Amino acid sequence: MKTIDELLAEGVTGRRVFVRADLNVPLSGTTITDDGRIRAVAPTVEKLAAAGARVVVASHLGRPKGAPDPAFSLAPAAARLGEIIGAGVAFATDTVGESARATVAALADGRVAVLENLRFNPGETSKDDAERGEFADRLAELADVYVGDGFGAVHRKHASVFDLPARLPHAAGDLIATEVGVLKKLTENVERPYAVVLGGSKVSDKLGVIDHLLERADRILIGGGMAYTFLKAKGHEVGSSLLQEEQIPVVLEYLKRAGDKGVEFVLPVDVVVSQQFPDLEAKAPTEHRTVPADAIPAGFMGLDNGPETNRLYASKLADAATVFWNGPMGVFEHPDYAEGTRAVAQALADSPGFTVVGGGDSAAAVRTLGFDDNAFGHISTGGGASLEYLEGKTLPGLAALED
C-alpha cells in the first residue's frame, strides 16, 4: 500500500488529487454537532495542497436515496473544512455534472474543492458492478491521482471507495495509515491485559466482533441496550428494556465459550431504569431509579449502568494495558442516563494503557461529555469499519489500495 509521502515524493504539483474523505458528520439542520471526522482528514488535505496539488475532496453524508436532498448536503462540511485549514474551499453543487467539472477545472495549484454528496448519485452505492463502474469512470475524469483517506467508509464496496482506485494511481492517506496501525495493535501482539468494552443498542450489531474477540481479549465488558439480551440469557427479567430474544441462543454460546477459554465476561450489576424513554430534545429531568440488574421491575426499561456497575467497570479497566471501547453504556444524550458512558470514558482517560475509542456514537459521546481527544490513545473515525476489521473481514476500501 503506497503512502501519501511516497506519492508526494513522486510529485503532485499541478495534478488533480481525488481525496476520498469521510465527512459524514452529524448535523442539526445545517449545524455540525461533531466535526471530528473533518478535523481528522484535514492534515492530509493540507499536506497535498502545500505540495501544489489541486485537491478534490469527496465524501458521502447520511443515507439519501440516490438523489439530491438538501438535508444531506455537504455544503456545511465544506465550509467547516475551509475554516480548519484556513483557506477558501470551492464547493461543487453536484458530483460529476456541470458544476463538478467547472469547479475542478477552475482549481489552481494548492487549492481545494469539495464535491456534493456522492450518494446523491445512485451509482455510488449500487450493487450492480456496471452501474457502479460507470459512476467511477465519471469520477475518474475529474482526477489524475486517488488518495483513500475515508476510513469510515472502507468497509463499503462503493464506487468512490472500491472501483475508483482501480482506475487511477492510488495511495493511502495519513488517516487510513494511522487507523490501520492502531487496529493492528488491537489484533497483533496485543499488550495484556486486553479489555474490550462493548455497548450500543443491539447485540446483533456486535456478534461478529464478540466472536472474534473471544479468541483474543482477556475481559469483555458489556453495556448499553445490548446488555439486556445478555441479562435475559442469564435468566433475569429485564422489564421493557431493549431485548433481542432471538439472539439469546448465540449469547448463551458466547458466554459458555468465554468460560471455557477463561475470558472474563462482565455484565452490569445494577442499572438505571425508567418507565419512559426520555425526550432527548428537551432533556428535562425524568423519573428514574437504580435497581439491581437481576431485579428490573415489569414496565421499567434499563437506560444506563448504575453506580455499582460504574465502579466495577472502572476497576476492570484500571490495570488493562490495552482497551478497545465501542458503543455507549446508556442513553448518554440525556443527562439522567449519561453517567455510565462518562464513567467508562473517565476510566479510559485515567488508564496508563493504550486506549482506543472505536468511533461512531462512542466518539460523539466522549466529545459531548466534554472529554478532550488527547485524553485517549486514539479516537477512531470509523465505528463500522473498525468493528469489521476486528472481526477479521477483508475491507473493500483497504483491499483496493493495495498494489
Side-chain angles (χ1 to χ4, degrees):
M1 188 180 294
K2 180 183 287 186
T3 68
I4 193 171
D5 289 334
E6 290 172 324
L7 176 65
L8 293 175
E10 296 172 358
V12 294
T13 301
R15 303 177 79 188
R16 299 168 302 164
V17 180
F18 187 104
V19 177
R20 201 335 179 157
D22 180 9
L23 308 181
N24 185 29
V25 292
L27 294 172
S28 177
T30 58
T31 301
I32 296 170
T33 57
D34 180 5
D35 66 357
R37 284 175 170 167
I38 304 175
R39 288 187 285 109
V41 78
T44 291
V45 174
E46 290 179 300
K47 182 182 286 190
L48 289 165
R54 303 178 183 188
V55 187
V56 181
V57 180
S59 176
H60 70 286
L61 191 152
R63 298 191 178 188
K65 301 182 185 298
D69 183 338
F72 297 105
S73 175
L74 276 173
R80 181 61 185 138
L81 177 62
E83 293 171 355
I84 292 170
I85 67 175
V89 170
F91 182 65
T93 57
D94 57 26
T95 57
V96 291
E98 182 178 340
S99 178
R101 292 192 299 270
T103 301
V104 173
L107 277 179
D109 295 357
R111 305 299 291 180
V112 180
V114 174
L115 304 181
E116 185 53 284
N117 191 337
L118 291 166
R119 290 186 182 175
F120 285 0
N121 189 303
E124 169 67 2
T125 59
S126 176
K127 297 188 186 308
D128 181 82
D129 291 350
E131 183 180 15
R132 218 176 46 246
E134 182 182 356
F135 184 50
D137 287 339
R138 297 180 69 187
L139 289 172
E141 293 173 0
L142 301 174
D144 304 303
V145 181
Y146 177 94
V147 171
D149 216 27
F151 181 74
V154 294
H155 58 316
R156 306 295 188 192
K157 191 176 181 180
H158 291 169
S160 65
V161 176
F162 178 75
D163 301 274
L164 186 55
R167 289 157 168 79
L168 295 169
H170 50 264
D174 286 340
L175 174 59
I176 278 187
T178 297
E179 293 275 12
V180 171
V182 166
L183 289 168
K184 284 184 176 180
K185 291 182 71 172
L186 297 176
T187 54
E188 302 173 10
N189 301 315
V190 183
E191 290 192 37
R192 299 185 179 280
Y194 179 16
V196 176
V197 187
L198 297 175
S201 57
K202 294 182 178 180
V203 67
S204 56
D205 293 341
K206 303 292 196 310
L207 289 178
V209 74
I210 294 172
D211 180 61
H212 208 63
L213 288 171
L214 279 172
E215 306 296 326
R216 291 160 178 78
D218 299 302
R219 300 171 196 149
I220 300 177
L221 287 61
I222 302 293
M226 62 184 287
Y228 302 100
T229 300
F230 280 88
L231 291 170
K232 183 71 171 179
K234 298 273 284 185
H236 306 317
E237 292 302 320
V238 296
S240 58
S241 304
L242 186 64
L243 175 64
Q244 288 187 286
E245 200 147 6
E246 73 281 2
Q247 300 297 342
I248 287 177
V250 181
V251 165
L252 285 170
E253 178 197 342
Y254 286 171
L255 290 171
K256 181 180 184 305
R257 279 175 56 196
D260 292 344
K261 292 180 176 297
V263 177
E264 189 177 5
F265 229 104
V266 189
L267 299 176
V269 294
D270 63 344
V271 294
V272 181
V273 300
S274 178
Q275 289 182 296
Q276 292 185 322
F277 194 86
D279 184 334
L280 300 184
E281 293 294 328
K283 293 184 171 56
T286 65
E287 291 189 14
H288 59 278
R289 65 172 92 162
T290 301
V291 300
D294 60 357
I296 299 175
F300 282 77
M301 65 182 74
L303 296 171
D304 195 17
N305 288 346
E308 287 299 323
T309 302
N310 294 341
R311 285 188 280 273
L312 172 64
Y313 284 20
S315 71
K316 297 295 182 182
L317 298 173
D319 68 339
T322 304
V323 183
F324 173 73
W325 171 32
N326 182 282
M329 298 293 98
V331 187
F332 72 91
E333 300 92 340
H334 193 285
D336 289 347
Y337 310 105
E339 288 310 306
T341 301
R342 190 191 310 277
V344 169
Q346 189 63 59
L348 265 69
D350 293 341
S351 171
F354 178 60
T355 58
V356 179
V357 179
D361 288 342
S362 311
V366 297
R367 292 174 180 134
T368 298
L369 296 174
F371 289 86
D372 189 277
D373 288 12
N374 294 325
F376 310 97
H378 179 70
I379 298 181
S380 178
T381 57
S386 297
L387 290 177
E388 290 199 16
Y389 188 101
L390 292 178
E391 288 176 37
K393 291 183 177 179
T394 297
L395 306 188
L398 295 184
L401 294 175
E402 298 287 352
D403 292 321

